[in-house]
Amino acid sequence: MKYIYKNFYLILLTSLFLLSSCEDERPNFYQNPDGFIQLAATSGDVAEDSTDGYTATVLLGAGTNESGVTVNYTLTSDDNSRFTDMGAGTVTIPAGEFSADIVIMPIDNVNTDGNLEIILELSDNNTLDVGIGGEGVNNNKQTITILDNDCPIDVSDAYETKVFAFGDEAPSHSATFTPVAGTTNTFLVSSLWGPNFVGWATGDDSFNGSFVYEAEVTINPDLTVTVANGTDARLSSGTGTYSTCDDKFVITLSQTLFSGTFTVDIEMTGL
């Protein structure tokens, strides 16, 4: 008989284990029979240039959710201009569901402004308490960090320059950058398209060293680039961009030196 009881208790324990292992992942609502809401995590981060943004999940601890639950929340930081709240302060957990997402979209700027911490905090919606078990303490707040992807402007003294025109690559060269006194982020560049470009373009080596396209390059606040004030008026126009973290210029040059109209693309990487 004792073996029968022993087997009975073994079966009972196994059944309890199986039942407990099949529970869903929603919060344990039995701590608060009226239900409660909480955040799924207490921290997270997202790159400033993320196109998907950051998703914070709100969980509902309740036996049922027959009509849906709307939850209020706040987002606070030292600079709210660096992100967009896609939910604008409210999130709804649909009927029959037990979670919903709050999406925060970082705004990719060109400023070296460091990482930004955002505090997401759930609010009492006058129906359900917040935090694990409705305690109002744990998992009612989440710290989300936007990771800055920008670097300060730090222009090198010299750049390895690749030149492209007429569907082909012209001779590469090294160009020197000299700050222009009394200006901010404006540099006199020794040669933009290279000392041998005109000789290469015309097929006449006697032009090597002539019309080297010496001009000023200005990095604008939005990291666009302007070419102007060339020593030869026929070689003094261009636009492009500057990548701070790569220390790289990508510029398209215009010219009136040649009778034909064409542009020259250059890529300049700091040495």
Side-chain angles (χ1 to χ4, degrees):
M1 180 66 67
K2 62 180 179 180
Y3 294 108
I4 294 175
Y5 283 115
K6 181 179 181 181
N7 290 336
F8 171 77
Y9 285 119
L10 180 61
I11 293 171
L12 178 61
L13 288 173
T14 302
S15 300
L16 290 173
F17 173 78
L18 291 174
L19 286 172
S20 63
S21 65
C22 294
E23 292 179 354
D24 60 32
E25 296 180 356
R26 77 186 70 169
N28 181 5
F29 68 90
Y30 294 106
Q31 297 181 59
N32 185 334
D34 294 328
F36 61 94
I37 51 175
Q38 70 178 66
L39 291 162
T42 57
S43 64
D45 57 63
V46 60
E48 181 182 277
D49 58 353
S50 170
T51 57
D52 297 323
Y54 181 84
T55 298
T57 299
V58 179
L59 301 176
L60 171 63
T64 61
N65 179 18
E66 296 180 357
S67 57
V69 174
T70 297
V71 179
N72 299 319
Y73 63 87
T74 58
L75 296 172
T76 57
S77 75
D78 290 335
D79 187 356
N80 288 1
S81 69
R82 292 181 57 186
F83 63 90
T84 300
D85 174 14
M86 304 304 291
T90 62
V91 61
T92 298
I93 302 175
E97 301 292 330
F98 293 89
S99 67
D101 293 331
I102 298 170
V103 178
I104 300 167
M105 289 298 302
I107 296 175
D108 190 13
N109 58 31
V110 297
N111 303 320
T112 308
D113 38 19
N115 296 341
L116 178 71
E117 286 191 351
I118 304 169
I119 304 300
L120 165 62
E121 184 173 4
L122 298 180
S123 303
D124 187 344
N125 67 349
N126 298 321
T127 301
L128 301 178
D129 294 328
V130 297
I132 294 178
E135 296 172 346
V137 178
N138 297 315
N139 283 56
N140 64 324
K141 292 183 180 180
Q142 183 172 358
T143 301
I144 301 157
T145 304
I146 295 179
L147 304 175
D148 189 14
N149 67 334
D150 299 301
C151 303
I153 295 176
D154 187 12
V155 174
S156 300
D157 295 329
Y159 285 78
E160 181 65 29
T161 305
K162 293 183 177 181
V163 184
F164 305 90
F166 314 114
D168 200 358
E169 184 171 356
S172 60
H173 67 286
S174 178
T176 59
F177 274 54
T178 304
V180 176
T183 67
T184 301
N185 296 326
T186 295
F187 306 86
L188 178 64
V189 182
S190 60
S191 178
L192 285 167
W193 65 16
N196 297 329
F197 177 81
V198 175
W200 172 82
T202 60
D204 186 347
D205 289 345
S206 66
F207 285 112
N208 287 343
S210 302
F211 310 109
V212 299
Y213 215 127
E214 182 184 52
E216 291 180 0
V217 170
T218 298
I219 304 173
N220 302 310
D222 62 355
L223 299 185
T224 60
V225 169
T226 304
V227 177
N229 300 326
T231 54
D232 187 326
R234 297 168 294 180
L235 307 173
S236 60
S237 178
T239 58
T241 58
Y242 176 65
S243 175
T244 54
C245 295
D246 298 329
D247 190 16
K248 183 176 181 179
F249 291 87
V250 177
I251 300 174
T252 297
L253 301 173
S254 301
Q255 57 78 43
T256 58
L257 178 67
F258 292 86
S259 57
T261 300
F262 64 91
T263 57
V264 179
D265 298 316
I266 63 171
E267 297 177 0
M268 313 183 82
T269 304
L271 295 174

